[in-house]
Amino acid sequence: LRRTPRREVVALAAPSRLVKVGQAAEILGIHPNTVRRWQEQGVLKAARVGLRRDRRFVRAEVEELMKMKKER
């Protein structure tokens, strides 16, 4: 018998309002690895989707972070 891991269900937004790591990086003007690191540090929230557990970010949250970044 194999046990399948329990998966946390995260309801963030409609799929059309989610962006991939590369898209978030482009919006923010940073490297994709920085987006991943910020997610791990809690700066950005991400949903995990698919079998590969890819990250997806809410576009509005990414754009809000961009505004905060510009204000500095």
Side-chain angles (χ1 to χ4, degrees):
L1 290 168
R2 274 183 40 190
R3 295 185 103 180
T4 57
R6 289 177 55 176
R7 295 192 180 178
E8 185 178 327
V9 177
V10 179
L12 288 175
S16 62
R17 299 187 195 278
L18 298 177
V19 294
K20 297 178 181 181
V21 171
Q23 294 168 317
E26 189 174 325
I27 291 168
L28 293 166
I30 58 177
H31 194 275
N33 287 344
T34 303
V35 174
R36 290 181 188 97
R37 187 173 62 247
W38 284 2
Q39 185 267 318
E40 291 168 1
Q41 294 172 345
V43 176
L44 276 171
K45 295 178 189 171
R48 294 299 195 119
V49 299
L51 293 175
R52 296 185 332 172
R53 308 297 291 148
D54 294 333
R55 294 172 175 95
R56 295 292 184 272
F57 302 90
V58 177
R59 179 180 291 277
E61 289 182 10
V62 173
E63 291 172 349
E64 182 65 29
L65 186 59
M66 179 63 183
K67 287 179 190 175
M68 291 171 49
K69 185 179 169 203
K70 281 186 177 182
E71 291 174 359
R72 285 185 158 185

